[in-house]
Amino acid sequence: MSKLKVFISSVQHEFASERERLFRYLQTDALLSEYYEPVIFEHLQANSQSADKLYLEEVGNSDVYLVLLGQRYGYETAMGTSPTELEYNHALGLHLPCLAYIKGEDSLLRNEKELLFIKRIEAEHTYKRFDNVEQLVSFVYGSLIDILKQKGLVRITSFDETLHPTASLADISAEKTDNFLGLAIYKRGVPIRQGSSIEKVLTHLNLLHEDKLCNSALLAFAKNPQQFFPSAITKCAHFHGFIVEKPIPDHKVFQGDVFQQVDQAVDFVLSKISLSVGLRATSTQAPIQYEIPRPVVTEAIVNAIAHRNYSSNGSVQVMLFTDRLEIFNPGGIPHELTISKLKTDHGSYPTNPKLAEPMYQAGYIERFGTGTGEIFRLAKEAGLKEPVYNLNEGVKVVIWRPLATTAQDSGQASGQASGQAEFLVLEGIKRVILVLEGEMKSAEIQDILQLKHREYFRDNYLEPAINEGYIEMTNPEKPSSPLQMYRLSDKGVICKNAIMDSFSVPKSNRDVMLKTDHDTDHDTDYDTDHDTDHDTDHVDGLILKLILYLFVEKSRAELMLLLELKHSGNFRINYLNPALENNYIEMTLPETPKSKFQKYRLTAKGLAIKNLLEKKL
């Protein structure tokens, strides 16, 4: 078999050492040298053709196109295009596999045309960023091995199908395999009855070979997967602002199998974002809708957990900010795909095919490459900014919250003057109160709220509502009874009526939007537009809103976003200046009031007002 030619393209002088290192590496590596032949201009034989024509001819004779991008664009032809970009265009026209490697982060030092070229490649191909030549060599090795695997030239056992050397069937949970069967029978009509043995289930999924377990069997069904893979976890964090900063208001590390991690991470995000409770026009139960559609959150998290690189010591990270949701996984996307292709339906290329099978049969993923397209489609239907994929380090998807969409508009403020009240209830309790109609089972409430992880629902919704006296059991003498149901207590009814009344709409036609920005996790429920306490009725309602949102130091811009205000003059005159003048808040830098680093915090007087509010209900 003739070797596959790899054409190495770049600005020669900028990447002289990297080009030579790659050339020598591909010639001497024990495995790659058997299949690949590197091509760089410096080692081509003298030819009477012009350099530009020779470059393009060599690209046409190659099987793989590899491009390095840095600070320089290179000299330009009469058309204003560099040889590197001309070579790229030619490779693109020939549909060659394209491997792109970008050196360093974007900066002012990068040539403007080079920056545009990089942005183009980022949109059209997968890419990696590197800082040094050894990192580059490692990336190139992995990419070229992937091409050999795709062509069927080498057979390298991937992590998910590798047989674990020490694990046994005793490490697998029969309860988990049985729960899986219940889902698989319902979702996909799997022809295995519930209650079948662990061996039968794993054999059906091709996860058991001569009594040896695939790594994927452990990721999906082990009693304790982290015993074998400590980094196979999902870290979730919620930040009140726009950047990662301490203290972190809420941080969770979810372990367990891949199904548990997906369910818990999704429920974590849903518990922090806004929820609307709509009209009961066609059923007895009011419909609900999250500010980011649940399928968008789910699909992004499932993709991260299903397609991550489990050989990496990194973990999946889910971070919620005021304006966005970021989901990161230590992995990559296949060379067959580009960021542009992710926006529509495409072929399916699972990173972990063995793991993908049980996740497909349980209904967590599809086999047809429709998932990422759904993220873009549903985000657009919800009126959100288009999600962003970033491949600079692993795979990160950014899903924008409505706040990011409204912040970029130049029109009127988005409803802050509508008279709707903003409540500061412990959010799980508030949501249970609002969806609980008559007497309902725990599973019914959980299902209405679109939550899947039972323990997370119990710990963050149901039990707090019971402990705070907002709901009660219908059979308190037998709390674990399978017939147990829940209903609002007198306190819960009063609270629900107060919430609904505050929206100033008829009881028969209520459509409630709960502002669950969760930059405020408080234990009580307060309408800042009504004077409800003689100790606070001297404080203007707008100032009260500002006080309630100021729990840690915040900049002016952060406060305006939290209050959904766009007009800086309105905010300054009606919120900020009165709060400063009445000594409810203070500057962190009073000697330089116009500093770009200026932030605001509560004074002792402001904190006292806030504490009074939080003692209501």
Side-chain angles (χ1 to χ4, degrees):
M1 185 197 80
S2 58
K3 294 183 180 181
L4 302 173
K5 288 188 176 183
V6 181
F7 185 89
I8 301 173
S9 176
S10 73
V11 175
Q12 290 184 30
H13 294 300
E14 183 178 2
F15 289 104
S17 61
E18 287 90 346
R19 291 166 65 89
E20 188 65 27
R21 177 76 170 87
L22 287 176
F23 183 82
R24 297 300 179 195
Y25 177 70
L26 294 182
Q27 282 190 323
T28 58
D29 180 79
L31 177 59
L32 297 184
S33 63
E34 292 291 319
Y35 295 96
Y36 291 107
E37 176 186 341
V39 178
I40 59 175
F41 182 75
E42 299 92 307
H43 290 272
L44 290 177
Q45 294 181 354
N47 192 300
S48 60
Q49 294 186 75
S50 69
D52 291 346
K53 288 184 178 179
L54 183 58
Y55 294 149
L56 296 180
E57 182 179 303
E58 289 299 330
V59 171
N61 292 331
S62 297
D63 302 284
V64 178
Y65 175 77
L66 188 158
V67 60
L68 308 178
L69 301 130
Q71 294 183 2
R72 300 178 185 177
Y73 183 65
Y75 86 86
E76 299 176 25
T77 65
M79 296 183 296
T81 307
S82 72
T84 305
E85 189 160 8
L86 286 173
E87 293 158 8
Y88 171 75
N89 292 340
H90 192 40
L92 204 62
L94 295 172
H95 304 289
L96 295 181
C98 177
L99 308 179
Y101 304 95
I102 304 167
K103 188 171 185 177
E105 298 298 325
D106 293 335
S107 71
L108 296 175
L109 299 176
R110 209 183 291 278
N111 178 276
E112 185 177 352
K113 277 199 167 184
E114 182 75 348
L115 188 59
L116 292 173
F117 185 24
I118 288 172
K119 296 300 180 187
R120 178 188 170 194
I121 284 183
E122 287 178 342
E124 295 176 345
H125 284 283
T126 59
Y127 61 91
K128 295 281 189 181
R129 288 187 183 265
F130 70 97
D131 296 315
N132 56 65
V133 69
E134 294 308 317
Q135 189 179 36
L136 171 63
V137 167
S138 174
F139 288 154
V140 169
Y141 178 86
S143 298
L144 293 178
I145 290 295
D146 285 343
I147 290 175
L148 294 179
K149 290 166 63 177
Q150 290 159 12
K151 290 179 175 292
L153 297 175
V154 297
R155 179 73 174 91
I156 297 177
T157 304
S158 61
F159 174 89
D160 78 318
E161 62 181 337
T162 298
L163 300 178
H164 197 278
T166 62
S168 69
L169 288 171
D171 295 305
I172 300 297
S173 166
E175 180 182 3
K176 289 184 178 182
T177 57
D178 206 44
N179 289 340
F180 161 77
L181 280 179
L183 277 174
I185 292 168
Y186 173 72
K187 294 284 186 178
R188 310 295 186 193
V190 172
I192 303 178
R193 64 178 180 81
Q194 210 162 352
S196 295
S197 68
I198 292 174
E199 293 93 331
K200 187 171 183 177
V201 175
L202 297 184
T203 300
H204 164 74
L205 294 169
N206 294 314
L207 300 179
L208 181 67
H209 300 281
E210 297 179 355
D211 294 330
K212 286 289 186 180
L213 297 170
C214 288
N215 286 337
S216 289
L218 298 169
L219 290 169
F221 304 116
K223 297 172 182 175
N224 179 14
Q226 285 65 45
Q227 173 187 346
F228 305 98
F229 314 116
S231 63
I233 57 176
T234 300
K235 298 177 181 178
C236 295
H238 175 222
F239 300 93
H240 288 324
F242 304 91
I243 60 173
V244 174
E245 59 183 352
K246 295 181 179 180
I248 302 175
D250 197 359
H251 176 238
K252 297 283 192 301
V253 176
F254 295 123
Q255 300 187 1
D257 61 61
V258 291
F259 304 109
Q260 292 172 324
Q261 289 184 46
V262 168
D263 293 346
Q264 291 178 101
V266 171
D267 288 357
F268 177 89
V269 174
L270 296 184
S271 71
K272 306 297 181 185
I273 63 176
S274 296
L275 168 74
S276 67
V277 181
L279 303 174
R280 287 189 294 272
T282 58
S283 69
T284 57
Q285 179 58 53
I288 70 167
Q289 181 177 345
Y290 289 95
E291 63 172 83
I292 303 175
R294 189 187 195 283
V296 172
V297 177
T298 302
E299 188 64 42
I301 290 175
V302 167
N303 280 345
I305 291 174
H307 302 308
R308 62 156 287 179
N309 176 6
Y310 279 96
S311 298
S312 168
N313 289 327
S315 60
V316 172
Q317 295 180 20
V318 178
M319 297 188 291
L320 184 67
F321 298 90
T322 298
D323 63 338
R324 68 195 186 279
L325 170 66
E326 292 186 359
I327 300 168
F328 163 85
N329 80 79
I333 64 176
H335 295 298
E336 295 91 342
L337 298 179
T338 65
I339 291 177
S340 297
K341 289 181 179 179
L342 292 178
K343 298 179 182 180
T344 59
D345 293 349
H346 52 265
S348 178
Y349 306 96
T351 304
N352 303 296
K354 290 285 188 180
L355 181 61
E357 186 60 24
M359 297 191 78
Y360 164 76
Q361 293 197 15
Y364 278 67
I365 63 174
E366 297 298 332
R367 281 179 171 158
F368 306 106
T370 58
T372 54
E374 281 286 281
I375 292 176
F376 284 92
R377 183 181 66 79
L378 293 174
K380 182 178 181 180
E381 289 179 0
L384 305 178
K385 285 173 59 179
E386 183 175 271
V388 175
Y389 273 84
N390 186 309
L391 307 180
N392 288 344
E393 181 185 359
V395 178
K396 179 169 72 175
V397 59
V398 179
I399 299 168
W400 301 101
R401 301 179 67 179
L403 192 61
T405 304
T406 57
Q408 68 180 353
D409 296 336
S410 57
Q412 297 179 353
S414 59
Q416 70 274 11
S418 66
Q420 289 188 353
E422 298 196 5
F423 288 89
L424 301 176
V425 180
L426 183 63
E427 207 53 51
I429 295 176
K430 183 196 295 183
R431 295 182 180 192
V432 170
I433 291 172
L434 283 165
V435 303
L436 187 53
E437 299 287 345
E439 296 181 352
M440 298 174 65
K441 291 185 176 181
S442 169
E444 291 177 298
I445 304 170
Q446 181 180 343
D447 185 58
I448 291 168
L449 290 171
Q450 301 176 21
L451 303 172
K452 296 189 73 174
H453 197 268
R454 185 174 57 191
E455 288 75 16
Y456 191 91
F457 167 72
R458 182 194 64 211
D459 295 343
N460 294 278
Y461 291 79
L462 190 65
E463 289 189 353
I466 295 172
N467 295 338
E468 293 295 325
Y470 289 101
I471 69 172
E472 60 190 16
M473 301 178 188
T474 58
N475 191 1
E477 291 81 12
K478 298 180 179 179
S480 301
S481 169
L483 303 177
Q484 187 65 262
M485 302 184 82
Y486 301 87
R487 62 191 170 213
L488 292 175
S489 65
D490 291 343
K491 181 179 178 180
V493 171
I494 293 171
C495 181
K496 183 168 185 173
N497 288 336
I499 295 173
M500 302 297 278
D501 288 343
S502 71
F503 286 88
S504 303
V505 291
K507 286 184 170 60
S508 61
N509 189 31
R510 285 170 168 168
D511 189 4
V512 182
M513 172 62 77
L514 307 181
K515 297 295 184 182
T516 60
D517 196 11
H518 263 275
D519 293 314
T520 52
D521 283 345
H522 297 273
D523 296 331
T524 60
D525 175 359
Y526 188 78
D527 177 353
T528 61
D529 289 339
H530 292 77
D531 297 329
T532 60
D533 190 287
H534 68 277
D535 291 316
T536 59
D537 62 8
H538 62 285
V539 184
D540 184 270
L542 299 181
I543 299 176
L544 286 176
K545 284 189 176 182
L546 179 61
I547 291 172
L548 288 168
Y549 274 116
L550 197 54
F551 41 87
V552 294
E553 294 178 359
K554 294 284 182 186
S555 68
R556 177 186 297 195
E558 289 174 318
L559 286 169
M560 287 180 65
L561 281 169
L562 290 172
L563 291 165
E564 296 186 7
L565 299 172
K566 293 183 181 178
H567 195 277
S568 59
N570 172 45
F571 172 69
R572 184 181 66 253
I573 294 170
N574 295 301
Y575 292 79
L576 190 64
N577 287 349
L580 288 167
E581 291 165 3
N582 286 282
N583 196 33
Y584 295 121
I585 68 172
E586 62 187 9
M587 300 179 186
T588 57
L589 300 172
E591 296 178 358
T592 53
K594 295 184 179 181
S595 169
K596 65 180 180 180
F597 301 110
Q598 186 67 262
K599 291 192 174 185
Y600 302 89
R601 62 190 171 212
L602 291 175
T603 61
K605 182 179 179 182
L607 185 60
I609 292 292
K610 185 182 178 100
N611 289 337
L612 284 173
L613 297 179
E614 293 179 355
K615 290 178 181 177
K616 302 304 294 176
L617 284 180

